[in-house]
Amino acid sequence: MRLKVYISLFLFLFIISLKAQKEYTFDVFTHYNVSNEYSKTNRLCYINSVDNTYYLSVFLKKEFTSAYLYDLKLNTFHTFKVNQIGNSDFDFIYLETKPLTSSMRDEVMIIETDLNDVVENKKMTLKIFKSPQKKRPTSKVRMIVKPNDLNLFHAFKFSSLHPYEWCQNYKIDQNFLVLEAKDERKLIKLIDYKPVSFSLKIPNTN
C-alpha cells in the first residue's frame, strides 16, 4: 500500500514538473554569412518550419559560444551556455529568462517575384515599408531563392535581416529557401542548411 502511494506521488510530481516547463521544437538549421565592406559575420539559426513565433540564434566567438532563444509570442528570450560538439552540433545549457525590451517592428514586408524569371532558382524582391499606409519602401532586398517543400523565409529573416528580424507583418504564398540576398549595405549568402530534430525545455520561472 505504501509503495502505491509513493508511486502515485512520484507520477504526480513528474506531471507537475512537465507542465511547469515550456518546450520549443526545432526542425531546420541554417547558416548564413553576412558581409559588408567592414566585416563578415556568421549567423547560425534554428527554427520550427511551421511556427514562426520563435527561433534560436547561436553566436560563435573565440572566447565563448552562447545562444538566445527568442519567443515573439511571449515577448521573452532565454539565454544558454553552449558547448560545441561539432561543426553545427551543440549542447545547450539553460541559464536564464528575461523579457524582450525592444518592441516588435511595425514595418510591412511584401515579396515580389520576377515574372520573367523561369530558371529553377528564382529572383525575388523584398520590399519593406515603414507602415501599411506608406507607398514607397524604405528598403529593398534582392533575393535569389530556391523552391522548397517548406516555407523557410523566416529562417533567413530571423538570422540575417537585421533590424527587421522581428517584423511579423508579411504573408508568403510560396515555399522557398533564400540562397542569397543583397541590399545597399550588405551581402548575405547561405552556407549550410539541413533538417534537424531536437527540442529545448525551459523551466517555469514564475
Side-chain angles (χ1 to χ4, degrees):
M1 184 66 179
R2 182 175 297 179
L3 180 60
K4 290 183 178 181
V5 173
Y6 286 148
I7 293 175
S8 298
L9 180 60
F10 173 78
L11 291 175
F12 173 77
L13 293 176
F14 178 72
I15 293 173
I16 291 297
S17 66
L18 289 180
K19 289 184 176 181
Q21 293 178 328
K22 169 71 175 177
E23 185 171 6
Y24 298 89
T25 302
F26 304 92
D27 62 355
V28 171
F29 167 82
T30 58
H31 173 188
Y32 284 94
N33 180 269
V34 181
S35 61
N36 55 37
E37 60 178 317
Y38 303 107
S39 65
K40 292 184 179 181
T41 306
N42 290 305
R43 302 289 176 86
L44 282 64
C45 187
Y46 293 90
I47 66 162
N48 184 308
S49 60
V50 297
D51 189 343
N52 66 354
T53 64
Y54 64 87
Y55 66 101
L56 177 68
S57 287
V58 179
F59 296 88
L60 300 177
K61 296 185 178 181
K62 292 182 179 180
E63 300 83 6
F64 62 91
T65 300
S66 58
Y68 299 92
L69 199 169
Y70 297 93
D71 189 323
L72 305 185
K73 184 182 294 185
L74 298 179
N75 206 36
T76 59
F77 71 96
H78 313 286
T79 305
F80 295 84
K81 177 184 176 182
V82 181
N83 294 323
Q84 187 170 358
I85 55 180
N87 290 333
S88 58
D89 296 315
F90 307 95
D91 180 32
F92 299 94
I93 303 171
Y94 171 77
L95 296 177
E96 61 180 350
T97 296
K98 292 184 177 180
L100 286 173
T101 55
S102 300
S103 60
M104 298 299 102
R105 304 290 300 200
D106 295 326
E107 286 85 356
V108 175
M109 293 182 176
I110 296 178
I111 295 177
E112 297 179 351
T113 304
D114 186 343
L115 298 179
N116 297 321
D117 189 2
V118 295
V119 298
E120 180 183 359
N121 294 338
K122 297 182 178 296
K123 295 179 181 178
M124 293 184 173
T125 300
L126 170 64
K127 296 181 179 180
I128 302 173
F129 298 83
K130 193 170 184 179
S131 70
Q133 292 76 32
K134 298 296 183 180
K135 302 300 182 182
R136 181 175 297 179
T138 57
S139 180
K140 291 183 180 180
V141 181
R142 310 291 183 182
M143 303 187 301
I144 299 176
V145 307
K146 183 176 182 178
N148 195 283
D149 293 335
L150 303 172
N151 184 352
L152 299 177
F153 171 73
H154 59 289
F156 162 74
K157 179 177 72 77
F158 284 147
S159 67
S160 306
L161 205 56
H162 183 75
Y164 307 109
E165 60 266 53
W166 294 348
C167 176
Q168 295 290 72
N169 299 323
Y170 67 92
K171 290 183 180 180
I172 306 294
D173 58 2
Q174 302 180 56
N175 292 345
F176 60 81
L177 173 68
V178 178
L179 302 179
E180 185 175 310
K182 187 177 183 180
D183 62 15
E184 63 274 9
R185 291 175 294 179
K186 58 183 177 293
L187 174 65
I188 304 167
K189 290 187 176 182
L190 179 68
I191 304 300
D192 191 15
Y193 154 71
K194 66 179 181 180
V196 296
S197 179
F198 78 98
S199 60
L200 293 176
K201 294 181 178 179
I202 308 298
N204 188 354
T205 57
N206 296 330

